[in-house]
Amino acid sequence: MTGLLWAELRRFGTRPANLWIAAGMLLHVALAVALTAFEAGATTLAGMLEQGQISFYAMTSVFLAYVAGVLLVTGEAASGGTRALLTVEPRRGRVYWTKLAAAGLAAVPGVAAAYALLAVGMYGVHARVGLLGGPSSDLVVAMTWSGVRVLALAVCAAVGGAALGVLVRRWWVAVALAVAWFLVEQQVVLTSTSGAGTWGPFTNADMWVRGTRTVLSGEGALAGPLVHSAVLLLGVTVVLAVLGAAVFRRRDVP
Amino acid sequence: MPYPVRVIPASEAAVETLGLRKTYRTVRGRAVGIDGLDLRVPAGGLHALLGLPDSGKTTALRLLTGLARADAGAIKIFGVPVPDGLPGLVGRIGAVVGEPGFQPWLSGRRNLGLLASVAGVPRTRVDEVLTRVVLADRAKAAYGTYSAEEESRLALAAALLRDPDLLVLDEPSAGLDAVGTREIRQALRRLADQGKTVLVATGVLTEAQQIADTVTVLDRGRVLAQGSTADLLGDAKVSVRVRLDEPAKAATALRAAGFAIRSDGDALQVDGVAEPSDISRALAKQKLFAGELVPQREDLAAVIGRLRPVAPPVPKPLSRAEERAARKAAEQQAADRKKAADQRKTDQRKADKEAAAKKAADADQDETTKRAEEER
């Protein structure tokens, strides 16, 4: 099992597309920090955290982790790799769960580096002009926990991406599905039905990263928005993973 | 859908299939890849799955290695039902079916190392197999820089990692030059001689003739013939037509090299040649170079045509329009026949009348002559 995981991680790390994705994550947050530096007086760091600007920047890294997860299992290189693995390890379940584990683990370094750059950069930019907007220790704690939540979300996104990649087989279908779902959730669900948005994965992902403390449900069914978001996002990931496992066990390897 | 249960009795065969069927979904409906395949690969030796493109060779190998699932039928490898029993056969099967999926940015050695870590094989084994396939010199080069022959060698090395009892290879010499083809065939033959079971899918008749002990000829997903290579395909020897400037000198040189020569007009016919390039070599030693060197052998399509059972012609049902046209034509023919008969009758009658008239005239003439003679 360890050998299988190691092989998948090596394969993940050597694919140029994944290296470009990691570079894209870093470039994106570097640009965000640079742009903030130009208008450093506009808002405080505490304000940015509360308004969700930091989570907005971090969500791009999460989306790229999802794409990386999709790319681990789609395309000719992935099919060839799966064929080669199955000839030496014909236990399909093992191969599948290892792929998902590799996707989740492989997303961590890139997203962690990107978030570290974002957090340190933003803190530095605002500290330089004296616009932290709160006690620095509180801000550090808030940003650290936000980073932990971003990492957890990125792992879920990469695992979900890999599972969806197994289901739909083509990377562009999996990516287009995510984009389409996002647009539907933002443009249709959130505007048409009040309350329906609390069940949308993207809304909950945003709430999870922000760490919103406002209780959304007045019925008392949920302990709080963080738990609600965590359960929903984890549920979506588990459902996708289980569906992917069922399909991977039965389907022919191309 | 549960895997269909078919029972194969116990035997000494390495691979056995019974009524294996596999269809694929296409835009035009379902295409049949394999249709009722009953395959038997004896343990030990080299068995070739021979067939034209789309005859079901690769599909059969994909089913055997668990990469695809059969719609119906049963498979046993070393007596173990497949695919359910494949985990129990880990280490006994080495396979290369389709592109091996190596990482182009990693060296050949690293690629094998990854597979070795999955297979739980020690790293020393990687170097052993690389040496065995004569790739140790290029082991540290990136896989992306490998030639087609080196890629094939590395794929073979990957299949040999666990020192398997059954080696399954799909088109092992595809894309290789003459030297590479010969070397890979020799390597496979050596493995078979060591007691391994080597199952090779190929579309090259000479490959099967040269290296296989037994062969299964596939056609449209079905077994056309199965048995020893010599019985089914004959040997790989060919007759070669050679044309060059100095045929007499060439004939002497080739006879000296042990070839059987016939004169064929301004060309030479060399019979019973195992390897046509040997002729070029023998001529080149005498500084003679052939302008034309044409091996004349039965190709795979001809072999399949020979083995394919001759189906009795089935009368094609006619469409309504065709039926009408046929009826009309028959009526026309009948009318023509009747007309011709009537015409013949009329002509006959006319001829009879003319004959009668002539007879009467002749009789009158005779009568007149008789009377004249009497009067005289």
Side-chain angles (χ1 to χ4, degrees):
Chain A
M1 192 79 174
T2 322
L4 200 55
L5 186 61
W6 171 241
E8 284 291 352
L9 285 172
R10 275 308 292 268
R11 251 172 23 85
F12 188 97
T14 52
R15 275 191 83 171
N18 291 331
L19 298 175
W20 281 111
I21 285 172
M25 285 179 186
L26 292 172
L27 187 68
H28 171 258
V29 292
L31 272 173
V33 171
L35 286 174
T36 311
F38 278 114
E39 42 186 47
T43 179
T44 62
L45 181 60
M48 284 183 84
L49 271 170
E50 268 185 33
Q51 289 158 21
Q53 279 171 286
I54 299 290
S55 80
F56 173 77
Y57 293 135
M59 288 298 278
T60 308
S61 300
V62 171
F63 176 70
L64 289 174
Y66 166 83
V67 176
V70 170
L71 288 176
L72 182 73
V73 294
T74 54
E76 181 48 41
S79 304
T82 306
R83 270 198 305 270
L85 285 182
L86 285 174
T87 52
V88 289
E89 174 52 274
R91 296 173 184 91
R92 286 197 176 202
R94 238 181 229 203
V95 170
Y96 173 77
W97 291 112
T98 308
K99 275 180 189 293
L100 261 52
L105 281 175
V108 171
V111 176
Y115 189 82
L117 180 62
L118 180 71
V120 171
M122 289 296 184
Y123 188 90
V125 163
H126 287 90
R128 196 165 59 87
V129 292
L131 275 177
L132 288 174
S136 60
S137 58
D138 287 358
L139 285 173
V140 168
V141 168
M143 289 191 78
T144 305
W145 277 115
S146 175
V148 170
R149 288 195 300 272
V150 166
L151 274 183
L153 183 63
V155 168
C156 280
V159 169
L164 197 62
V166 166
L167 287 171
V168 299
R169 281 188 172 178
R170 288 170 181 80
W171 70 266
W172 55 270
V173 175
V175 172
L177 270 176
V179 172
W181 189 283
F182 174 75
L183 290 175
V184 167
E185 201 175 310
Q186 295 299 310
Q187 302 299 320
V188 182
V189 178
L190 282 182
T191 52
S192 64
T193 326
S194 60
T198 54
W199 298 100
F202 289 101
T203 314
N204 278 281
D206 184 49
M207 282 157 56
W208 167 257
V209 174
R210 280 197 210 190
T212 312
R213 295 189 183 285
T214 315
V215 176
L216 295 174
S217 170
E219 296 160 13
L222 299 166
L226 265 182
V227 177
H228 168 78
S229 299
V231 169
L232 191 132
L233 293 170
L234 203 61
V236 170
T237 310
V238 168
V239 166
L240 282 175
V242 170
L243 275 177
V247 167
F248 190 79
R249 272 176 199 278
R250 302 296 310 173
R251 191 192 266 169
D252 295 350
V253 178
Chain B
M1 188 184 75
Y3 196 74
V5 178
R6 298 286 296 265
V7 179
I8 300 176
S11 73
E12 292 300 309
V15 178
E16 271 185 297
T17 70
L18 183 65
L20 207 57
R21 183 177 164 81
K22 175 71 182 172
T23 56
Y24 293 104
R25 219 175 292 145
T26 66
V27 283
R28 291 179 191 165
R30 293 199 83 86
V32 177
I34 286 285
D35 191 10
L37 184 74
D38 296 334
L39 181 68
R40 193 175 190 281
V41 179
L46 200 149
H47 186 92
L49 269 185
L50 182 67
L52 295 169
D54 296 330
S55 57
K57 308 183 293 284
T58 303
T59 305
L61 296 193
R62 284 166 52 76
L63 293 174
L64 293 179
T65 49
L67 295 176
R69 287 194 166 245
D71 299 332
I75 306 171
K76 266 189 179 179
I77 297 179
F78 297 124
V80 178
V82 167
D84 298 338
L86 267 179
L89 289 167
V90 163
R92 295 195 72 188
I93 306 173
V96 183
V97 183
E99 286 294 312
F102 293 128
Q103 299 297 303
W105 310 279
L106 294 181
S107 69
R109 191 171 182 277
R110 287 231 164 150
N111 268 302
L112 282 195
L114 286 182
L115 284 179
S117 64
V118 175
V121 170
R123 286 299 172 99
T124 49
R125 177 71 186 155
V126 171
D127 295 323
E128 271 176 43
V129 289
L130 282 169
T131 309
R132 195 165 173 182
V133 298
V134 202
L135 205 58
D137 294 346
R138 293 272 292 151
K140 287 181 181 169
Y143 177 72
T145 65
Y146 278 22
S147 66
E149 186 200 335
E150 287 165 342
E151 286 177 7
S152 292
R153 284 167 186 275
L154 192 67
L156 182 60
L160 289 172
L161 265 177
R162 277 174 156 161
D163 195 18
D165 298 321
L166 170 66
L167 198 61
V168 180
L169 300 163
D170 188 16
E171 305 280 2
S173 61
L176 302 188
D177 60 14
V179 177
T181 301
R182 182 187 288 197
E183 286 180 1
I184 207 96
R185 286 177 188 170
Q186 283 172 350
L188 295 179
R189 191 59 253 175
R190 272 197 301 274
L191 286 166
D193 292 339
Q194 287 163 12
K196 308 273 181 206
T197 306
V198 183
L199 175 59
V200 172
T202 179
V204 184
L205 177 64
T206 47
E207 186 158 79
Q209 286 171 322
Q210 285 172 358
I211 60 172
D213 302 306
T214 49
V215 66
T216 299
V217 183
L218 293 182
D219 183 38
R220 298 171 198 161
R222 289 174 170 274
V223 173
L224 205 56
Q226 199 159 204
S228 84
T229 309
D231 291 345
L232 282 181
L233 308 175
D235 59 17
K237 289 185 176 172
V238 291
S239 180
V240 181
R241 184 182 168 82
V242 186
R243 197 186 291 274
L244 68 183
D245 292 336
E246 297 171 89
K249 197 176 169 188
T252 312
L254 290 173
R255 275 199 193 95
F259 289 102
I261 309 292
R262 278 186 292 129
S263 180
D264 182 10
D266 57 346
L268 296 174
Q269 200 74 30
V270 189
D271 295 322
V273 181
E275 187 53 62
S277 60
D278 292 343
I279 296 176
S280 306
R281 246 175 258 126
L283 290 172
K285 274 183 191 168
Q286 301 300 319
K287 294 196 168 51
L288 292 166
F289 298 97
E292 182 185 315
L293 199 142
V294 187
Q296 293 161 333
R297 68 174 106 212
E298 196 179 28
D299 64 2
L300 181 56
V303 169
I304 286 171
R306 170 162 61 81
L307 295 173
R308 197 178 279 162
V310 181
V314 180
K316 195 180 153 193
L318 296 175
S319 67
R320 280 185 155 189
E322 284 172 332
E323 265 179 18
R324 261 201 310 275
R327 207 166 41 235
K328 222 172 186 179
E331 283 169 6
Q332 184 67 40
Q333 271 183 357
D336 288 348
R337 271 200 300 274
K338 197 179 171 199
K339 201 175 170 186
D342 289 347
Q343 185 66 41
R344 267 200 307 277
K345 271 182 193 168
T346 314
D347 290 349
Q348 186 66 41
R349 254 185 245 129
K350 204 175 168 185
D352 289 350
K353 268 183 189 172
E354 279 174 5
K358 200 180 171 190
K359 206 174 174 182
D362 288 348
D364 284 350
Q365 183 69 35
D366 290 347
E367 191 69 25
T368 313
T369 314
K370 221 181 228 175
R371 270 192 210 141
E373 278 176 2
E374 281 170 5
E375 280 172 8
R376 260 198 308 246

